[in-house]
Amino acid sequence: MLMNQKIGRTAHQDIDRIFKKLLPKRGMAERDGQIALAHRMLNAMLTGGIGLSDAGTGIGKTYAYLAAGAVFLRACAAMGKKPRPILVSTSSIALQSAVRDEYLPFLSDVLMEDGMITRPLLAAIRKGKSHYVCDERLKLRLTQISTSKKNPAATAALRSLRKCLDADEAEHLSGYDRERICVPHACDCQKKKCRYQRFLEDCESDLYQFQICNHNLLMADAIHRRTGLKPILPFPSAVIMDEAHKLPEVARQMFGTALEAGSIQSLIKTLRDERFVLASESLADLSAPLLDKMQRPFDEDARFTGFARLLALPVRSLLAIRDQLKGQLSPEGRRQLNAVASAALTLYEERPSMVRYVEQDDHGGTRLCATAFDLAAKLRSTLWGQSHPFLLTSGTLAVGRDFRRFKEETGLLTDSRVVESVSPSPFHYRKNCLLYLPHTPPRLDSERYFHELAEEIRQLLLASHGHGLVLFTSYAAMSAVKERLTELALPWPLMVMGRNAIHTTEAFRKHPGSVLMAAGAAWEGLDFSGDGVSMLIIPRLPFAHPDAIKEKEREKYPTLRAFIQSVVTPEMQIKLRQGFGRAIRTETDTCAVAVLDERASRTGRYFREMRAALPDMPLTSSINDVERFIHRVKSRDYFNETPA
């Protein structure tokens, strides 16, 4: 999509006007980095490119891409193009809501007041069918419940949905009720009064200039278009992917399959509820060994081969049930059976084009997975084959200024449409951060490793007066250190993030000075601004655990060293940057960061790579320096905080 030069110049002038005049009038600081980022994003849109933007924390990328999008839509209108929405894709529900309810309304007010736009900028959040209310099913469910027996909060949640289409907005809605009131998979409702159908019609009109979804729905729409199925989303004028570093993970899900113990158990219950008792009991008996193994606490060293032989009997049972009950199950029961049988069969068969692996599920057990091996080729044909421009942005797309690893994973390495930009964070890391590397780090091969590690962590927490976040790469290591820290009797509450992440993080926020130990998704999923995290401790560099996917990828490289340099190390650096991002969330945050891995020490083999991944900041190996730093950057109130 090439705009003529005059319209392009006007569009870039609009960006300058927004960020240099209009937003400062509303109290927003003028930032050169943010303005330059918005110009680069707009230019990628105007030229039909694929813009990769590594935007550091605090640069203001959300306003940058929303302003660029609004100006781009204005330029499209000046060219007489048919109105089409901009799709904004992000993996964070909180960010989706913030874009719709905070960022975009504010920007819209500013542009309306200036006369740059003549009608407000509106956004709709798009989700899968299961998130929306079916009026007929809701009406039926409300007639079925007994208010005298049902939890009052759950009853109130159901009733609230008569005025709310999005089931996610109903607090206290039970999973049981959700399944019975959501829009069914095979929705063919033609009723004019159906709120869901009216919502879809609004989304296909030009009512919403921005439509917001998650990466999975965006990929599902692209797959539908590629395979000739009905599109889920309207054809866009441009696509903006925030948190784009998660695209490879989403591609593994969308071009693969997965099976959880809960899916098999739910099917067993459905068969029993629909009175196919023999089928239910047969599946339960033949699946018992597999379910038992899948429900045990996840083993980080587990391999798919340990589960493969246990799939044989469940697969045989599922295929027999599917054949025998053909046409007898309810539509939902048939869909459930087909989904579980298809996943189990795919996982059981060895297919050259697929890689099978295991990962931890949401309940601490094991999820069995398979995905297409050549995800880059899949993304090239499915996503990048579309003609509209793309913006992909995140704080961790590049290592330094090198996007090579991300482009390899996403099929963009040789795409001529790609333009790259790096916008460093404006935060003053040299003033507000201190990096600590111990003189003699705990050695992993020592019998006393966990004792030494726990003691090092204790000394650091004493220096920072608590207020600590300890990020582990292993749940087993976290458990071992937690046990020893408990014995050392720290003067602050010690919290461990398990399955109830929301409750744990809220408790951490409510207890100033407390210490939080976390692993897994916490490396990029936590956001604590202020003094809550004033000591970030990383016991081990976050190298990925070897798995089937990595073993398969290793085959593409001539030597192990080349594989480590091209894949393993860049992925570690990106993960380390994500973890570091938990330390400094605003311009005024201050934090000491400790990396205790012997490989990251001054003489360690990954010292240089560790330093290259992190912002430039002072380095020390003295606990006393850490204590002096904390006393220099913190107020007197910080030291008077007493955990409740």
Side-chain angles (χ1 to χ4, degrees):
M1 181 186 294
L2 296 172
M3 295 286 178
N4 69 43
Q5 291 184 350
K6 182 178 180 181
I7 291 176
R9 283 196 301 270
T10 301
H12 283 288
Q13 289 167 1
D14 287 343
I15 289 292
D16 282 333
R17 179 172 178 79
I18 290 170
F19 287 100
K20 293 183 178 181
K21 183 176 181 181
L22 302 184
L23 292 180
K25 281 174 62 177
R26 293 292 192 99
M28 285 183 61
E30 181 180 330
R31 294 175 176 169
D32 292 340
Q34 184 184 40
I35 297 171
L37 175 61
H39 278 296
R40 289 192 291 265
M41 289 176 161
L42 173 62
N43 198 57
M45 289 183 175
L46 293 174
T47 58
I50 300 175
L52 305 183
S53 300
D54 188 281
T57 306
I59 197 71
K61 63 181 169 64
T62 307
Y63 274 123
Y65 66 65
L66 289 177
V71 170
F72 175 66
L73 290 176
R74 178 173 152 92
C76 288
M79 290 286 289
K81 296 185 177 294
K82 180 181 178 180
R84 296 188 183 279
I86 288 178
L87 297 181
V88 179
S89 172
T90 172
S91 63
S92 165
I93 295 174
L95 182 54
Q96 291 173 15
S97 298
V99 169
R100 181 191 63 184
D101 302 331
E102 300 172 27
Y103 288 98
L104 199 59
F106 177 75
L107 180 63
S108 178
D109 287 345
V110 169
L111 301 187
M112 283 283 290
E113 182 181 288
D114 181 68
M116 192 176 292
I117 59 175
T118 57
R119 69 183 183 100
L121 297 172
L122 300 177
I125 294 179
R126 302 294 304 274
K127 303 178 181 181
K129 288 179 180 178
S130 63
H131 294 270
Y132 296 107
V133 177
C134 170
D135 289 332
E136 289 298 313
R137 300 184 81 200
L138 174 63
K139 183 178 178 181
L140 176 62
R141 182 64 186 143
L142 287 172
T143 64
Q144 294 173 337
I145 63 172
S146 170
T147 55
S148 62
K149 298 179 180 179
K150 193 170 180 64
N151 180 297
T155 301
L158 271 176
R159 288 175 172 166
S160 73
L161 292 174
R162 290 180 294 195
K163 295 183 179 180
C164 177
L165 179 63
D166 189 343
D168 294 339
E169 296 180 12
E171 291 187 37
H172 309 296
L173 181 68
S174 70
Y176 183 84
D177 283 336
R178 179 187 286 271
E179 288 180 4
R180 278 147 187 80
I181 58 87
C182 70
V183 175
H185 181 75
C187 172
D188 56 358
C189 177
Q190 301 298 321
K191 296 186 178 181
K192 293 182 179 179
K193 292 184 179 180
C194 172
R195 288 181 293 159
Y196 177 66
Q197 292 297 331
R198 290 206 307 268
F199 173 68
L200 293 184
E201 290 173 4
D202 287 342
C203 290
E204 288 297 328
S205 71
D206 63 352
L207 177 62
Y208 300 110
Q209 300 96 325
F210 290 81
Q211 296 194 25
I212 308 165
C213 64
N214 63 21
H215 298 338
N216 294 73
L217 194 64
L218 182 72
M219 283 299 307
D221 177 70
I223 292 170
H224 274 224
R225 292 179 186 279
R226 175 69 176 173
T227 57
L229 297 175
K230 182 181 178 181
I232 303 170
L233 302 168
F235 191 78
S237 61
V239 170
I240 299 170
M241 295 190 72
D242 200 345
E243 301 173 306
H245 65 278
K246 294 192 175 181
L247 178 57
E249 176 187 343
V250 171
R252 280 194 292 274
Q253 297 170 8
M254 298 305 295
F255 293 113
T257 191
L259 184 64
E260 297 186 1
S263 300
I264 301 174
Q265 292 168 326
S266 178
L267 175 59
I268 292 169
K269 182 179 183 302
T270 296
L271 291 170
R272 186 173 64 250
D273 291 346
E274 297 196 13
R275 303 193 178 183
F276 297 104
V277 179
L278 290 177
S280 174
E281 291 178 350
S282 172
L283 180 59
D285 289 343
L286 296 176
S287 300
L290 175 65
L291 291 174
D292 176 67
K293 190 173 180 65
M294 292 176 70
Q295 291 178 295
R296 294 174 192 168
F298 181 70
D299 180 0
E300 292 163 346
D301 296 321
R303 292 291 182 268
F304 185 89
T305 52
F307 296 83
R309 63 180 181 81
L310 299 178
L311 275 165
L313 292 179
V315 166
R316 189 183 308 166
S317 177
L318 286 162
L319 295 180
I321 292 171
R322 190 168 66 178
D323 185 57
Q324 294 166 5
L325 300 185
K326 190 179 300 181
Q328 299 182 57
L329 285 168
S330 68
E332 179 58 27
R334 187 165 58 251
R335 184 200 65 79
Q336 198 175 353
L337 174 59
N338 287 337
V340 174
S342 175
L345 183 60
T346 300
L347 289 160
Y348 179 63
E349 296 177 340
E350 290 191 52
R351 303 181 182 182
S353 62
M354 304 287 283
V355 182
R356 300 180 297 175
Y357 61 102
V358 296
E359 64 183 20
Q360 186 173 28
D361 66 21
D362 296 335
H363 304 287
T366 300
R367 180 187 294 118
L368 307 183
C369 306
T371 191
F373 170 58
D374 197 348
L375 290 175
K378 290 283 189 181
L379 285 168
R380 280 195 297 271
S381 62
T382 304
L383 202 57
W384 314 130
Q386 300 180 59
S387 59
H388 51 72
F390 288 86
L391 294 183
L392 286 78
T393 184
S394 168
T396 52
L397 288 188
V399 178
R401 292 186 170 273
D402 187 358
F403 289 84
R404 183 178 181 85
R405 178 58 187 155
F406 179 77
K407 291 192 296 183
E408 279 181 338
E409 286 190 288
T410 55
L412 291 172
L413 193 58
T414 59
D415 197 311
S416 61
R417 296 170 64 196
V418 171
V419 289
E420 305 168 2
S421 70
V422 175
S423 302
S425 170
F427 294 168
H428 199 330
Y429 291 110
R430 285 202 60 80
K431 176 183 176 184
N432 294 340
C433 281
L434 177 68
L435 177 61
Y436 169 81
L437 304 178
H439 275 300
T440 309
R443 295 185 61 85
L444 188 62
D445 59 3
S446 168
E447 292 183 359
R448 292 186 51 78
Y449 172 73
F450 288 116
H451 291 281
E452 295 170 3
L453 179 59
E455 176 59 27
E456 187 76 40
I457 291 172
R458 186 184 77 89
Q459 292 290 340
L460 287 165
L461 292 172
L462 289 173
S464 66
H465 292 255
H467 300 82
L469 171 62
V470 190
L471 286 179
F472 289 88
T473 57
S474 159
Y475 285 96
M478 181 171 71
S479 177
V481 172
K482 190 258 184 181
E483 180 182 337
R484 288 160 177 79
L485 284 178
T486 301
E487 294 173 355
L488 293 173
L490 290 171
W492 310 280
L494 182 63
M495 303 177 187
V496 176
M497 181 172 289
R499 298 176 192 173
N500 296 319
I502 295 177
H503 300 299
T504 307
T505 54
E506 285 306 310
F508 179 63
R509 287 188 174 94
K510 291 177 181 177
H511 293 78
S514 56
V515 179
L516 178 63
M517 303 172 69
W523 279 79
E524 57 178 298
L526 299 180
D527 189 350
F528 303 110
S529 58
D531 289 333
V533 177
S534 297
M535 168 59 71
L536 173 65
I537 301 173
I538 298 174
R540 299 287 291 173
L541 292 175
F543 286 100
H545 290 281
D547 58 23
I549 295 177
K550 287 289 181 290
E551 289 170 4
K552 191 73 174 178
E553 193 171 9
R554 160 75 176 86
E555 296 173 5
K556 297 190 299 185
Y557 292 85
T559 64
L560 177 61
R561 181 177 181 182
F563 173 64
I564 291 173
Q565 290 178 335
S566 300
V567 176
V568 178
T569 301
E571 288 189 355
M572 178 276 290
Q573 290 176 296
I574 289 172
K575 189 79 171 181
L576 182 61
R577 286 185 62 192
Q578 290 168 349
F580 174 81
R582 305 313 99 209
I584 302 290
R585 305 302 299 168
T586 71
E587 294 181 49
T588 58
D589 288 353
T590 53
C591 185
V593 179
V595 181
L596 308 182
D597 194 323
E598 60 191 288
R599 296 168 296 180
S601 67
R602 294 174 191 261
T603 58
R605 61 183 297 191
Y606 288 105
F607 172 75
R608 184 180 303 174
E609 288 80 1
M610 179 272 298
R611 288 291 277 164
L614 300 179
D616 182 30
M617 68 187 97
L619 171 64
T620 185
S621 296
S622 166
I623 290 281
N624 291 333
D625 285 348
V626 174
E627 188 169 12
R628 282 191 287 269
F629 168 79
I630 293 294
H631 277 274
R632 176 174 64 81
V633 299
K634 301 298 181 182
S635 68
R636 183 177 300 175
D637 291 341
Y638 173 91
F639 301 96
N640 294 331
E641 289 179 339
T642 303

